[in-house]
mmCIF file with all atom_site columns, all heavy atoms in Angstrom:
data_model
loop_
_atom_site.group_PDB
_atom_site.id
_atom_site.type_symbol
_atom_site.label_atom_id
_atom_site.label_alt_id
_atom_site.label_comp_id
_atom_site.label_asym_id
_atom_site.label_entity_id
_atom_site.label_seq_id
_atom_site.pdbx_PDB_ins_code
_atom_site.Cartn_x
_atom_site.Cartn_y
_atom_site.Cartn_z
_atom_site.occupancy
_atom_site.B_iso_or_equiv
_atom_site.pdbx_formal_charge
_atom_site.auth_seq_id
_atom_site.auth_comp_id
_atom_site.auth_asym_id
_atom_site.auth_atom_id
_atom_site.pdbx_PDB_model_num
ATOM 1  N N   . ILE A 1 355 ? 56.226 168.949 143.709 1.00 0.00 ? 355 ILE A N   1
ATOM 2  C CA  . ILE A 1 355 ? 55.262 169.952 144.163 1.00 0.00 ? 355 ILE A CA  1
ATOM 3  C C   . ILE A 1 355 ? 54.736 169.483 145.517 1.00 0.00 ? 355 ILE A C   1
ATOM 4  O O   . ILE A 1 355 ? 53.945 168.542 145.598 1.00 0.00 ? 355 ILE A O   1
ATOM 5  C CB  . ILE A 1 355 ? 54.119 170.105 143.147 1.00 0.00 ? 355 ILE A CB  1
ATOM 6  C CG1 . ILE A 1 355 ? 54.685 170.513 141.784 1.00 0.00 ? 355 ILE A CG1 1
ATOM 7  C CG2 . ILE A 1 355 ? 53.092 171.128 143.637 1.00 0.00 ? 355 ILE A CG2 1
ATOM 8  C CD1 . ILE A 1 355 ? 53.657 170.552 140.669 1.00 0.00 ? 355 ILE A CD1 1
ATOM 9  N N   . THR A 1 356 ? 55.208 170.096 146.580 1.00 0.00 ? 356 THR A N   1
ATOM 10 C CA  . THR A 1 356 ? 54.883 169.644 147.933 1.00 0.00 ? 356 THR A CA  1
ATOM 11 C C   . THR A 1 356 ? 53.659 170.364 148.468 1.00 0.00 ? 356 THR A C   1
ATOM 12 O O   . THR A 1 356 ? 53.214 171.380 147.925 1.00 0.00 ? 356 THR A O   1
ATOM 13 C CB  . THR A 1 356 ? 56.065 169.897 148.887 1.00 0.00 ? 356 THR A CB  1
ATOM 14 O OG1 . THR A 1 356 ? 56.138 171.303 149.178 1.00 0.00 ? 356 THR A OG1 1
ATOM 15 C CG2 . THR A 1 356 ? 57.386 169.444 148.273 1.00 0.00 ? 356 THR A CG2 1
ATOM 16 N N   . LYS A 1 357 ? 53.131 169.856 149.570 1.00 0.00 ? 357 LYS A N   1
ATOM 17 C CA  . LYS A 1 357 ? 51.975 170.475 150.218 1.00 0.00 ? 357 LYS A CA  1
ATOM 18 C C   . LYS A 1 357 ? 52.383 171.439 151.328 1.00 0.00 ? 357 LYS A C   1
ATOM 19 O O   . LYS A 1 357 ? 51.529 171.922 152.070 1.00 0.00 ? 357 LYS A O   1
ATOM 20 C CB  . LYS A 1 357 ? 51.050 169.387 150.768 1.00 0.00 ? 357 LYS A CB  1
ATOM 21 C CG  . LYS A 1 357 ? 50.397 168.554 149.670 1.00 0.00 ? 357 LYS A CG  1
ATOM 22 C CD  . LYS A 1 357 ? 49.402 167.547 150.234 1.00 0.00 ? 357 LYS A CD  1
ATOM 23 C CE  . LYS A 1 357 ? 48.710 166.775 149.113 1.00 0.00 ? 357 LYS A CE  1
ATOM 24 N NZ  . LYS A 1 357 ? 47.725 165.785 149.612 1.00 0.00 ? 357 LYS A NZ  1
ATOM 25 N N   . MET A 1 358 ? 53.697 171.706 151.435 1.00 0.00 ? 358 MET A N   1
ATOM 26 C CA  . MET A 1 358 ? 54.157 172.632 152.474 1.00 0.00 ? 358 MET A CA  1
ATOM 27 C C   . MET A 1 358 ? 54.577 173.976 151.882 1.00 0.00 ? 358 MET A C   1
ATOM 28 O O   . MET A 1 358 ? 55.257 174.771 152.529 1.00 0.00 ? 358 MET A O   1
ATOM 29 C CB  . MET A 1 358 ? 55.318 172.014 153.269 1.00 0.00 ? 358 MET A CB  1
ATOM 30 C CG  . MET A 1 358 ? 56.506 171.606 152.436 1.00 0.00 ? 358 MET A CG  1
ATOM 31 S SD  . MET A 1 358 ? 57.743 170.766 153.455 1.00 0.00 ? 358 MET A SD  1
ATOM 32 C CE  . MET A 1 358 ? 59.014 170.421 152.245 1.00 0.00 ? 358 MET A CE  1
ATOM 33 N N   . GLY A 1 359 ? 54.160 174.237 150.626 1.00 0.00 ? 359 GLY A N   1
ATOM 34 C CA  . GLY A 1 359 ? 54.395 175.553 150.043 1.00 0.00 ? 359 GLY A CA  1
ATOM 35 C C   . GLY A 1 359 ? 55.755 175.752 149.429 1.00 0.00 ? 359 GLY A C   1
ATOM 36 O O   . GLY A 1 359 ? 56.191 176.900 149.276 1.00 0.00 ? 359 GLY A O   1
ATOM 37 N N   . VAL A 1 360 ? 56.440 174.662 149.081 1.00 0.00 ? 360 VAL A N   1
ATOM 38 C CA  . VAL A 1 360 ? 57.730 174.779 148.400 1.00 0.00 ? 360 VAL A CA  1
ATOM 39 C C   . VAL A 1 360 ? 57.762 173.822 147.214 1.00 0.00 ? 360 VAL A C   1
ATOM 40 O O   . VAL A 1 360 ? 57.096 172.780 147.213 1.00 0.00 ? 360 VAL A O   1
ATOM 41 C CB  . VAL A 1 360 ? 58.929 174.493 149.335 1.00 0.00 ? 360 VAL A CB  1
ATOM 42 C CG1 . VAL A 1 360 ? 58.994 175.487 150.468 1.00 0.00 ? 360 VAL A CG1 1
ATOM 43 C CG2 . VAL A 1 360 ? 58.872 173.076 149.865 1.00 0.00 ? 360 VAL A CG2 1
ATOM 44 N N   . TYR A 1 361 ? 58.551 174.199 146.212 1.00 0.00 ? 361 TYR A N   1
ATOM 45 C CA  . TYR A 1 361 ? 58.806 173.346 145.064 1.00 0.00 ? 361 TYR A CA  1
ATOM 46 C C   . TYR A 1 361 ? 60.276 172.919 145.107 1.00 0.00 ? 361 TYR A C   1
ATOM 47 O O   . TYR A 1 361 ? 61.156 173.721 145.441 1.00 0.00 ? 361 TYR A O   1
ATOM 48 C CB  . TYR A 1 361 ? 58.543 174.090 143.755 1.00 0.00 ? 361 TYR A CB  1
ATOM 49 C CG  . TYR A 1 361 ? 57.179 174.717 143.654 1.00 0.00 ? 361 TYR A CG  1
ATOM 50 C CD1 . TYR A 1 361 ? 57.013 176.031 143.210 1.00 0.00 ? 361 TYR A CD1 1
ATOM 51 C CD2 . TYR A 1 361 ? 56.029 174.005 143.998 1.00 0.00 ? 361 TYR A CD2 1
ATOM 52 C CE1 . TYR A 1 361 ? 55.761 176.613 143.106 1.00 0.00 ? 361 TYR A CE1 1
ATOM 53 C CE2 . TYR A 1 361 ? 54.766 174.572 143.897 1.00 0.00 ? 361 TYR A CE2 1
ATOM 54 C CZ  . TYR A 1 361 ? 54.645 175.883 143.459 1.00 0.00 ? 361 TYR A CZ  1
ATOM 55 O OH  . TYR A 1 361 ? 53.394 176.459 143.374 1.00 0.00 ? 361 TYR A OH  1
ATOM 56 N N   . ILE A 1 362 ? 60.531 171.664 144.763 1.00 0.00 ? 362 ILE A N   1
ATOM 57 C CA  . ILE A 1 362 ? 61.893 171.142 144.731 1.00 0.00 ? 362 ILE A CA  1
ATOM 58 C C   . ILE A 1 362 ? 62.238 170.826 143.280 1.00 0.00 ? 362 ILE A C   1
ATOM 59 O O   . ILE A 1 362 ? 61.517 170.057 142.617 1.00 0.00 ? 362 ILE A O   1
ATOM 60 C CB  . ILE A 1 362 ? 62.042 169.878 145.605 1.00 0.00 ? 362 ILE A CB  1
ATOM 61 C CG1 . ILE A 1 362 ? 61.437 170.101 146.999 1.00 0.00 ? 362 ILE A CG1 1
ATOM 62 C CG2 . ILE A 1 362 ? 63.513 169.494 145.723 1.00 0.00 ? 362 ILE A CG2 1
ATOM 63 C CD1 . ILE A 1 362 ? 62.135 171.133 147.837 1.00 0.00 ? 362 ILE A CD1 1
ATOM 64 N N   . GLU A 1 363 ? 63.337 171.401 142.781 1.00 0.00 ? 363 GLU A N   1
ATOM 65 C CA  . GLU A 1 363 ? 63.750 171.214 141.399 1.00 0.00 ? 363 GLU A CA  1
ATOM 66 C C   . GLU A 1 363 ? 65.247 170.908 141.365 1.00 0.00 ? 363 GLU A C   1
ATOM 67 O O   . GLU A 1 363 ? 65.899 170.867 142.415 1.00 0.00 ? 363 GLU A O   1
ATOM 68 C CB  . GLU A 1 363 ? 63.416 172.465 140.576 1.00 0.00 ? 363 GLU A CB  1
ATOM 69 C CG  . GLU A 1 363 ? 61.927 172.818 140.613 1.00 0.00 ? 363 GLU A CG  1
ATOM 70 C CD  . GLU A 1 363 ? 61.590 174.150 139.970 1.00 0.00 ? 363 GLU A CD  1
ATOM 71 O OE1 . GLU A 1 363 ? 62.529 174.918 139.654 1.00 0.00 ? 363 GLU A OE1 1
ATOM 72 O OE2 . GLU A 1 363 ? 60.395 174.434 139.781 1.00 0.00 ? 363 GLU A OE2 1
ATOM 73 N N   . ALA A 1 364 ? 65.811 170.702 140.179 1.00 0.00 ? 364 ALA A N   1
ATOM 74 C CA  . ALA A 1 364 ? 67.216 170.318 140.097 1.00 0.00 ? 364 ALA A CA  1
ATOM 75 C C   . ALA A 1 364 ? 67.825 170.736 138.762 1.00 0.00 ? 364 ALA A C   1
ATOM 76 O O   . ALA A 1 364 ? 67.122 170.892 137.761 1.00 0.00 ? 364 ALA A O   1
ATOM 77 C CB  . ALA A 1 364 ? 67.363 168.804 140.283 1.00 0.00 ? 364 ALA A CB  1
ATOM 78 N N   . SER A 1 365 ? 69.130 170.910 138.765 1.00 0.00 ? 365 SER A N   1
ATOM 79 C CA  . SER A 1 365 ? 69.900 171.161 137.542 1.00 0.00 ? 365 SER A CA  1
ATOM 80 C C   . SER A 1 365 ? 71.253 170.476 137.689 1.00 0.00 ? 365 SER A C   1
ATOM 81 O O   . SER A 1 365 ? 71.679 170.148 138.801 1.00 0.00 ? 365 SER A O   1
ATOM 82 C CB  . SER A 1 365 ? 70.098 172.661 137.325 1.00 0.00 ? 365 SER A CB  1
ATOM 83 O OG  . SER A 1 365 ? 70.932 173.196 138.339 1.00 0.00 ? 365 SER A OG  1
ATOM 84 N N   . SER A 1 366 ? 71.931 170.266 136.571 1.00 0.00 ? 366 SER A N   1
ATOM 85 C CA  . SER A 1 366 ? 73.225 169.566 136.639 1.00 0.00 ? 366 SER A CA  1
ATOM 86 C C   . SER A 1 366 ? 74.142 169.989 135.512 1.00 0.00 ? 366 SER A C   1
ATOM 87 O O   . SER A 1 366 ? 73.702 170.458 134.464 1.00 0.00 ? 366 SER A O   1
ATOM 88 C CB  . SER A 1 366 ? 73.004 168.045 136.555 1.00 0.00 ? 366 SER A CB  1
ATOM 89 O OG  . SER A 1 366 ? 72.476 167.690 135.284 1.00 0.00 ? 366 SER A OG  1
#
Side-chain angles (χ1 to χ4, degrees):
I355 301 174
T356 74
K357 293 184 177 180
M358 57 185 181
V360 298
Y361 306 133
I362 311 295
E363 302 172 350
S365 67
S366 65

